[in-house]
Amino acid sequence: MLSMLGLDTESEAVYRAMLAHPQDGIAVLTQRLGLSDESVRQALDSLSELALLRPAHGRQGELRAVSPDVGMELLIARQQTELAAQQLRIEASRTVAAQLIAEYAELQPAGNVEAGVERLLGMDRIRDRLAALTRQVRHEVMTFAPGGAHTPDDIAAAKPLNLELRERGVQLRTIYLDSIRNSPATVEYLDWLTRQGGQVRTAVTLPTRMIIVDRTSAVIPVRTDDSSVGAVVLTGDGTLTALCALFESVWSHASPLGEEAPKSAGGLSAQEATAIRLLADGLTDEAVAKRLGVSHRTARRLATELMERLGARSRFEAGVRAVQQGWLPHRA
């Protein structure tokens, strides 16, 4: 029953027996459970590693089982840490995949539509192609929007287009950065979009800017640091399948705009947890700001606050302390 929390069958049996019969030693447990002496000892080792056993008070050399209300919280916290580590690995994979697709596309001959790749050079060409795709869309638009808060001009230009698409029955799903929650004007616009039937979620980081139209065409920049340089339109079946899966994966972990973003280990927000990881990886305040979609000043303030909370005097020390306190997973 507890296998989902990391306990194997024998360890669970030993744990339950020790809760019910706290005076039992190894010999009695072996007889009671019908297990070998080695199996019981291995189970005790596993339970100790999971912090489900503690030294018995006043009885030197003996162990007692931690009560389930404490023990289950420990197991769940451990799983949450492992899940956070897995999400970090997935996020890194997403970024690498998106960048590889864009870099490969940039190597293809200009206008090579037959190969499923069309290169767009310059902002004017990108805007013209996006306008054409918008006119052609029939069912759905899925967007990664890592650019941060909207300007008043952006909002004024976007509203008529949003209305037109919704009137045509086009489903709109957009993922922004968590940082846009701090922009009242942007949140007001997105609340309006939601009332029109659009769907909006936020994530702490996004792998790249991307627009997918009807699951048949995807537009992504060739450079993540400057989307105005150029972009590619990808139409290959295999590529679109991968990019749609990427979007759905990010969407499933993103937070709906109307809900508070969940806290991670140590009571950190997702933004704070990502910031401490990026700082531990050696990224500058400027690089962190770009990844999170915040100002350089905000990134510097975030770094200072996190280091103060950790009692660290350097970013390297902050990374070490974050691992020690369970804010970051141990790295192999």
Side-chain angles (χ1 to χ4, degrees):
M1 291 176 60
L2 300 181
S3 60
M4 294 183 64
L5 294 177
L7 278 181
D8 59 56
T9 302
E10 292 181 349
S11 296
E12 179 181 349
V14 171
Y15 178 63
R16 289 178 179 274
M18 293 183 71
L19 287 172
H21 308 281
Q23 306 301 322
D24 284 1
I26 293 178
V28 178
L29 286 171
T30 299
Q31 183 178 6
R32 184 185 299 280
L33 299 174
L35 298 174
S36 67
D37 182 86
E38 182 181 358
S39 295
V40 171
R41 291 183 183 277
Q42 288 179 348
L44 292 174
D45 288 341
S46 297
L47 293 170
S48 296
E49 289 177 3
L50 294 172
L52 294 179
L53 297 182
R54 291 179 180 172
H57 180 68
R59 300 198 299 274
Q60 189 173 4
E62 295 185 22
L63 297 172
R64 69 174 180 85
V66 173
S67 62
D69 56 333
V70 175
M72 296 307 98
E73 284 296 326
L74 291 172
L75 293 182
I76 292 172
R78 182 187 182 96
Q79 279 201 323
Q80 288 176 329
T81 299
E82 292 174 351
L83 177 60
Q86 177 64 12
Q87 289 177 334
L88 292 178
R89 289 191 291 270
I90 291 173
E91 179 188 325
S93 299
R94 291 173 184 151
T95 302
V96 171
Q99 291 176 345
L100 179 61
I101 290 170
E103 290 169 6
Y104 173 75
E106 192 177 14
L107 298 175
Q108 304 306 302
N112 190 1
V113 181
E114 290 185 2
V117 177
E118 177 186 356
R119 294 182 62 188
L120 308 173
L121 301 179
M123 201 63 208
D124 289 340
R125 184 75 181 95
I126 295 172
R127 286 173 176 165
D128 290 345
R129 192 69 177 90
L130 285 173
L133 287 170
T134 300
R135 289 193 298 270
Q136 296 166 8
V137 63
R138 298 177 58 189
H139 305 293
E140 181 181 27
V141 178
M142 302 183 293
T143 305
F144 284 159
H150 281 301
T151 66
D153 288 343
D154 290 339
I155 294 172
K159 280 188 172 183
L161 177 59
N162 296 150
L163 282 174
E164 178 192 345
L165 292 174
R166 289 300 302 144
E167 288 172 357
R168 286 160 45 190
V170 175
Q171 182 183 26
L172 303 177
R173 286 196 291 163
T174 307
I175 307 176
Y176 288 87
L177 293 176
D178 284 345
S179 59
I180 61 99
R181 293 171 180 263
N182 300 319
S183 168
T186 303
V187 171
E188 182 181 357
Y189 158 64
L190 297 178
D191 285 339
W192 170 87
L193 179 59
T194 301
R195 291 195 298 272
Q196 309 311 311
Q199 298 180 62
V200 178
R201 294 188 180 184
T202 68
V204 65
T205 61
L206 289 170
T208 185
R209 182 178 296 278
M210 179 174 71
I211 300 174
I212 301 177
V213 177
D214 283 341
R215 298 180 178 263
T216 59
S217 300
V219 182
I220 60 175
V222 295
R223 283 176 50 183
T224 56
D225 60 337
D226 186 357
S227 58
S228 66
V229 172
V232 290
V233 181
L234 306 175
T235 54
D237 289 344
T239 300
L240 262 296
T241 298
L243 292 177
C244 288
L246 170 63
F247 180 89
E248 296 293 357
S249 176
V250 178
W251 179 266
S252 68
H253 291 95
S255 302
L257 185 63
E259 298 179 7
E260 183 179 356
K263 298 287 186 179
S264 59
L268 299 176
S269 68
Q271 185 183 75
E272 290 171 332
T274 301
I276 193 65
R277 176 176 59 84
L278 296 176
L279 292 171
D281 286 343
L283 271 68
T284 63
D285 291 341
E286 183 178 1
V288 172
K290 288 182 178 179
R291 291 289 299 275
L292 299 180
V294 299
S295 67
H296 183 273
R297 178 180 298 179
T298 298
R300 184 169 60 247
R301 174 182 56 77
L302 194 58
T304 301
E305 291 176 353
L306 288 168
M307 289 177 65
E308 288 177 351
R309 288 172 65 180
L310 288 164
R313 290 172 293 180
S314 69
R315 298 189 177 200
F316 175 78
E317 185 181 0
V320 173
R321 289 180 178 270
V323 171
Q324 291 173 341
Q325 295 191 25
W327 290 14
L328 289 177
H330 288 272
R331 299 187 182 187

